[in-house]
Amino acid sequence: MEKIYGAIVSIMENIGAIEKKRTAKGNKFSYTYRGIDDVFNALQPLMIKFKVFCLPKLRNIDSTVEASGSLVMKRSIITMDYHFVSAEDGSEIVVSIAGEGVDNGDKSLSKAFSTAFKYACFQLFCIPTEGEMKDSEEEFLTEKEVEKIRVALKYANRSEQDVLKYLAKKGSTAQKIEDICFDDYYMLMELLATSK
């Protein structure tokens, strides 16, 4: 039997939960998230213990600059193949996944790589997250999260209509802030935090 399968299960048995312990702060608002460093810190000792390493392979990259009014952001979307390989017999499992990063500077590509690897690991190793993990485009914001966006808009000197127009260009059908799906929440909070 190929050893990569047993190694993956052993890592799953030992990984434990990765909670949202990091905080990103804007002018007067913040939100919590799980960072790529949290995934590395949890997985690296277990990958050594169970003799697994990862070989990333970039399949595709697409970068654009997007503007809506005074909001200008760089977006990078990548497609990756992550080869998780057993050091004992060379057997492997390949995880193919896309990653997206948005930034108003030069970090959109590195964010896309971080996102792709983080979610490849969450999916392959079925990493528990403890608490509520909202990553689905089907999930919508709580009243507290809506209020965080409104506070961020105030300090970024932006209107709700600015944000809704920007999201509409991305395919969103939201007619008001309460309609925004959770997938857009982090991108919006980051956009507003870096907006002048």
Side-chain angles (χ1 to χ4, degrees), residues 152-184:
L153 284 168
K154 176 183 173 185
Y155 286 97
N157 197 25
R158 298 284 181 254
S159 72
E160 291 187 17
Q161 288 306 310
D162 287 338
V163 166
L164 293 171
K165 285 177 186 175
Y166 181 79
L167 291 177
K169 289 185 176 183
K170 311 283 165 270
S172 172
T173 59
Q175 297 298 306
K176 55 186 187 287
I177 294 295
E178 291 84 353
D179 296 337
I180 294 172
C181 69
F182 204 83
D183 273 354
D184 292 327

Side-chain angles (χ1 to χ4, degrees), residues 8 28 33 38 41 43-44 47-48 56 63 70 83 86 97 101 108 157 173 191-192:
I8 296 295
K28 296 282 183 179
Y33 67 99
D38 300 315
N41 292 338
L43 274 177
Q44 195 260 1
M47 291 177 74
I48 291 172
S63 294
S70 60
H83 297 252
S86 168
I97 196 162
S108 67
N157 197 25
T173 59
L191 182 150
L192 293 168

Side-chain angles (χ1 to χ4, degrees), residues 83-102:
H83 297 252
F84 291 86
V85 183
S86 168
E88 295 190 284
D89 68 353
S91 58
E92 69 177 61
I93 290 177
V94 180
V95 177
S96 299
I97 196 162
E100 181 177 17
V102 180

